[in-house]
Amino acid sequence: MSISESSALFQDSSSLSSLDEAEEGPERPPLTRGTSNPTVASLCLPRQSASALRKMSAAFVSFFVPGKRVARLVEDLSRDRRMAFGTLVQDFLRQQREVLKPQFLTSSVELLQGMRIFISQAKVFLLECGELEPPIDMLVPEDEKDQTLEKALFRCVLKPLKRQIDEALHVLHERDGCSKRIAESMQRARKASPCDLFGVQVTVPDTQGIDKLRRKMSLVRRAYSPIDKLHLLLQICKLIYKAMKNNAGQEFGADDFLPALSYVIVQCNMPELSVEVEYMMELLDTSWLTGEGGYYLTSVYASLSFIQSLPEAVAPTALTQEVRESLKNWSHRRRTDNKSHKDLLQQNFVKVVFQDGECSLMKTLQWKAGTSAETLAQLCAVKFGVNQPEEYSLYWRRDGELEPLPPTAYIQDLQSLGTTSAPFIYQCSGPDMKSRKLTRGGALDLSAEAS
Amino acid sequence: MAAGGPGSKTYSFKVVLLGEGCVGKTSLVLRYCENKFNDKHITTLQASFLTKKLNITGKRVNLAIWDTAGQERFHALGPIYYRDSNGAILVYDITDEDSFQKVKNWVKELRKMLGNEISLCIVGNKIDLEKERHVSVEEAEGYADSVGAKHYHTSAKLNKGIEELFLDLCKRMMETAQAEERLRGNGASTAAPGRRGVQIIDDEPRAATAAGGCCSSG
């Protein structure tokens, strides 16, 4: 993503999806699974006709823009508790609504990191569980897959929690004094002739320009998606460059930009910006942080650190202890290998192939530590809708042979022993299993894919 | 993040650009990325963050160049910018002894923060002003040698030495990345991930607060 791209795509900030959607109720009717036509009928109920029209056009857009379609499909899936992915997301949301209550809050970084880790895990899980229909490979090209999923996951996870996350971060930074400190530093800097303070050598935005920038900054706060926030941040930087521009058509480097940026931040007087920076830094995938967006996000972070360091350093020689700490912790966290997500994930999910006669059906089931093979078999009976559970057992393949799972064995032990990702097999244990027909009495879910 | 793997994968490198105000680092990097040096040129492109795509011995390389503010007052902000860098270009003006001293400060800091993982380039710019040279070639090259950096002479104005500088830097960063890959491949799993994070030396080592935050797999 580049500045020019971002401004071309988002000339009008209101087109940023996460801003639109923030106003949408959480009860958007789900698209009908299995059909290619989204259900728009209920969207037309004219509470406000303009808004209904907008929603309709949103549904229309979602049908033709593959990324948006994926986002909607993933969102619907995430709400469907009959699906493993839905269970995963809904359980997480329920747990987070508890965790985000003021009395349980500990640190903002921990809070956001918890979300980031979950999003990464859920992304991998979604690809592996095969519940997304049609598969993402059919909807978006390979190189856009990850980004599309990332956006979709932000929508499933961050959108429903937006209000609570905002409140939680607010509470935490009131508590640790960060909000107060940054507000005071900004005020001090404003009083002390900011142009001199930062050594501004270029033209800076005038009062109107500052107003416009302040409005953009409040849009940053309104968006739930860190990607949308980053787009807005790039628009802000672009406006600053625009004001800097002189007739010579000079191109500006950081020597000129950082002072101008600091000036703007102080004049806009929006201390909450520092919470936004934290939100983006903790929630954006590393791939976003190395590009242009990452550069400008880093610049805003640097500028905020500088503003805060001002009183204690006439000639600043060192970063404040706080910034040093946060830098150190940040890089620690980012160091951990990507693979750990997969490992974590595989501990909690197991694939089971249900074989009955000529039919086979695969499901991804969730288990908790301490689940035995017997318990899993019971779960399978329910999930695959088996009428006589006593006649079915779980098997696995070891050295090419089909062996029954020892009923008392724990799933976590079996998974660490077994041939990693090969699924377990749930089938009839009687000698006549071949002649048996697939029975699905009291079926819970027949929509999972057959393989 | 750091580097792509061998074969068809693309290498992505972050290079941080350091140097005092008037040493010409902006012109240098603009010259490289746009191959122009003309202050009458009008474009919307800005020089704070630039990218360049290269193909080196059949391998694709994406270079992201991060400019930093060189003023003394912003000096302390350096680590915020150069965390996770694969390379650093430290520019001084050959006619300005003081700008060379500044380079020395940055080198010390970079080595302290990033160890030997980072490929350093010390660049004496403005060799078109050879007559006004105040930093001797021997001293500069000797110093670069002593800190494990490479030294280059460039002129953004005459477009001299710039291609070589970046090409050479890319090759060195690729070597480092490949060495890291090999290490990882040899099962030295603990040594592998993210050793290029900023290491702020501290008395008490602290454990990671959370297990990882990045996942670029798809």
Side-chain angles (χ1 to χ4, degrees):
Chain A
M1 177 177 58
S2 69
I3 285 196
S4 48
E5 248 174 74
S6 117
S7 64
L9 280 168
F10 302 104
Q11 208 53 266
D12 173 8
S13 318
S14 67
S15 68
L16 285 174
S17 57
S18 110
L19 291 174
D20 278 351
E21 289 155 8
E23 291 164 10
E24 244 176 60
E27 302 84 17
R28 182 182 61 75
L31 308 183
T32 310
R33 281 180 62 78
T35 69
S36 53
N37 285 317
T39 321
V40 290
S42 50
L43 287 171
C44 301
L45 291 172
R47 244 178 303 156
Q48 285 176 318
S49 59
S51 140
L53 191 68
R54 205 182 57 191
K55 284 179 184 175
M56 238 180 89
S57 78
F60 197 63
V61 165
S62 83
F63 182 60
F64 289 105
V65 180
K68 291 215 168 189
R69 184 158 175 227
V70 171
R72 296 219 151 184
L73 288 173
V74 172
E75 191 182 23
D76 290 339
L77 202 57
S78 79
R79 289 172 176 171
D80 188 345
R81 273 201 172 271
R82 292 169 304 174
M83 311 301 275
F85 181 72
T87 310
L88 180 77
V89 174
Q90 292 306 317
D91 283 352
F92 179 76
L93 293 180
R94 196 172 56 192
Q95 178 230 347
Q96 287 299 306
R97 289 196 178 103
E98 275 304 303
V99 174
L100 287 169
K101 289 181 177 161
Q103 63 268 35
F104 302 124
L105 296 172
T106 50
S107 95
S108 55
V109 167
E110 224 169 81
L111 184 158
L112 295 170
Q113 272 302 301
M115 309 235 167
R116 178 65 250 180
I117 292 169
F118 176 77
I119 287 166
S120 300
Q121 288 176 353
K123 217 163 62 177
V124 178
F125 178 73
L126 181 60
L127 285 174
E128 288 191 348
C129 73
E131 288 181 342
L132 190 63
E133 191 60 46
I136 187 159
D137 307 81
M138 290 173 67
L139 297 171
V140 291
E142 182 65 31
D143 57 335
E144 290 169 23
K145 220 164 84 178
D146 191 65
Q147 216 189 91
T148 306
L149 282 178
E150 182 89 357
K151 286 181 183 167
L153 260 301
F154 284 155
R155 190 178 161 118
C156 301
V157 177
L158 300 177
K159 186 178 153 192
L161 295 174
K162 158 95 174 136
R163 194 179 49 82
Q164 279 139 304
I165 297 174
D166 284 353
E167 277 171 17
L169 293 177
H170 177 75
V171 167
L172 282 165
H173 290 307
E174 286 292 317
R175 225 184 260 170
D176 65 17
C178 275
S179 309
K180 190 162 175 256
R181 258 199 311 282
I182 183 81
E184 283 172 358
S185 315
M186 282 187 178
Q187 198 183 8
R188 255 196 311 272
R190 243 189 344 275
K191 278 185 189 155
S193 168
C195 269
D196 298 339
L197 209 54
F198 306 122
V200 179
Q201 304 275 344
V202 291
T203 320
V204 285
D206 56 13
T207 321
Q208 278 178 330
I210 292 290
D211 281 345
K212 189 171 178 187
L213 287 160
R214 196 182 290 125
R215 281 197 297 277
K216 286 268 179 203
M217 281 186 200
S218 49
L219 288 180
V220 174
R221 292 183 62 198
R222 263 176 54 198
Y224 68 82
S225 157
I227 295 174
D228 286 352
K229 284 178 194 282
L230 196 65
H231 277 297
L232 286 160
L233 198 68
L234 285 177
Q235 291 179 11
I236 289 172
C237 293
K238 178 136 185 161
L239 285 172
I240 298 172
Y241 275 126
K242 218 169 141 188
M244 285 161 70
K245 206 166 201 165
N246 55 18
N247 291 330
Q250 189 190 344
E251 285 166 22
F252 297 101
D255 288 343
D256 291 315
F257 179 70
L258 193 65
L261 174 69
S262 304
Y263 172 86
V264 165
I265 288 176
V266 160
Q267 295 295 18
C268 284
N269 191 24
M270 201 172 278
E272 298 87 348
L273 187 62
S274 73
V275 182
E276 297 304 325
V277 170
E278 178 182 52
Y279 187 92
M280 285 181 260
M281 279 200 160
E282 295 299 341
L283 289 178
L284 282 168
D285 189 271
T286 318
S287 56
W288 284 89
L289 295 173
T290 46
E292 187 166 38
Y295 175 80
Y296 287 102
L297 181 60
T298 302
S299 299
V300 174
Y301 180 76
S303 174
L304 287 167
S305 314
F306 182 70
I307 293 166
Q308 289 196 75
S309 75
L310 280 173
E312 52 193 275
V314 180
T317 48
L319 291 171
T320 62
Q321 189 56 32
E322 198 185 328
V323 172
R324 285 163 61 94
E325 279 293 307
S326 104
L327 266 182
K328 191 175 62 184
N329 292 337
W330 193 86
S331 53
H332 267 305
R333 287 193 303 278
R334 292 282 160 160
R335 263 177 231 184
T336 328
D337 201 350
N338 294 339
K339 285 196 186 75
S340 63
H341 296 308
K342 280 198 169 179
D343 297 344
L344 277 169
L345 205 68
Q346 277 159 0
Q347 285 167 15
N348 292 312
F349 294 95
V350 60
K351 282 184 185 164
V352 179
V353 177
F354 176 55
Q355 280 188 328
D356 206 43
E358 282 133 39
C359 297
S360 69
L361 188 68
M362 184 154 82
K363 274 184 182 291
T364 309
L365 302 175
Q366 194 178 10
W367 52 272
K368 295 193 175 74
T371 301
S372 66
E374 200 175 3
T375 319
L376 186 67
Q378 287 161 6
L379 183 66
C380 289
V382 176
K383 289 285 178 190
F384 294 114
V386 166
N387 275 337
Q388 295 92 17
E390 62 282 357
E391 290 179 23
Y392 289 80
S393 304
L394 274 170
Y395 296 84
W396 64 342
R397 269 187 204 286
R398 297 192 77 188
D399 310 318
E401 293 291 315
L402 205 59
E403 284 182 20
L405 286 187
T408 51
Y410 290 123
I411 305 301
Q412 67 255 41
D413 301 336
L414 292 170
Q415 281 207 320
S416 56
L417 273 179
T419 43
T420 58
S421 61
F424 293 141
I425 294 139
Y426 185 64
Q427 63 179 26
C428 190
S429 42
D432 57 339
M433 61 185 193
K434 272 178 192 153
S435 65
R436 216 167 264 272
K437 286 259 155 68
L438 178 69
T439 49
R440 288 167 150 184
L444 275 171
D445 175 26
L446 304 177
S447 60
E449 89 279 37
S451 53
Chain B
M1 190 68 201
S8 63
K9 250 186 157 181
T10 305
Y11 288 93
S12 290
F13 295 126
K14 172 178 165 183
V15 174
V16 67
L17 191 62
L18 300 159
E20 240 198 334
C22 302
V23 299
K25 60 192 160 97
T26 306
S27 313
L28 194 83
V29 72
L30 272 176
R31 181 62 122 162
Y32 179 64
C33 291
E34 288 289 283
N35 196 27
K36 63 164 184 264
F37 183 83
N38 181 353
D39 52 8
K40 286 182 196 76
H41 197 100
I42 294 170
T43 168
T44 53
L45 184 83
Q46 299 298 336
S48 302
F49 175 89
L50 290 169
T51 55
K52 176 105 174 171
K53 285 186 194 320
L54 296 131
N55 196 319
I56 299 173
T57 57
K59 301 226 163 56
R60 277 173 300 167
V61 176
N62 287 342
L63 212 56
I65 304 166
W66 289 44
D67 192 15
T68 62
Q71 297 93 316
E72 187 61 39
R73 71 181 90 210
F74 296 124
H75 186 90
L77 302 177
I80 295 173
Y81 285 88
Y82 50 66
R83 66 180 168 200
D84 295 330
S85 293
N86 305 87
I89 297 175
L90 302 115
V91 190
Y92 68 93
D93 174 351
I94 61 159
T95 68
D96 179 359
E97 166 67 27
D98 193 46
S99 70
F100 183 62
Q101 293 307 321
K102 291 275 157 51
V103 162
K104 290 183 177 175
N105 292 343
W106 272 305
V107 168
K108 259 186 239 153
E109 210 171 88
L110 281 166
R111 284 286 184 229
K112 198 170 97 191
M113 300 281 186
L114 298 170
N116 291 322
E117 291 293 302
I118 185 165
S119 304
L120 299 185
C121 298
I122 297 175
V123 180
N125 192 32
K126 304 195 185 176
I127 51 165
D128 46 291
L129 302 174
E130 187 62 47
K131 278 177 210 155
E132 297 161 48
R133 177 185 277 282
H134 276 96
V135 181
S136 85
V137 177
E138 297 74 35
E139 190 199 343
E141 286 180 346
Y143 172 74
D145 245 11
S146 73
V147 294
K150 288 253 173 130
H151 189 276
Y152 304 85
H153 278 114
T154 59
S155 163
K157 197 170 183 180
L158 307 175
N159 194 14
K160 267 195 176 160
I162 298 171
E163 282 294 325
E164 295 85 331
L165 154 69
F166 279 97
L167 189 64
D168 209 49
L169 173 61
C170 284
K171 284 181 183 163
R172 281 161 61 208
M173 291 190 296
M174 280 168 79
E175 278 165 24
T176 309
Q178 281 159 356
E180 212 167 276
E181 285 286 320
R182 277 195 299 274
L183 209 64
R184 210 176 295 203
N186 288 342
S189 58
T190 49
R195 286 179 309 150
R196 53 172 34 88
V198 175
Q199 298 157 18
I200 294 180
I201 315 292
D202 210 287
D203 299 333
E204 33 163 359
R206 286 176 56 145
T209 48
C214 53
C215 177
S216 55
S217 67

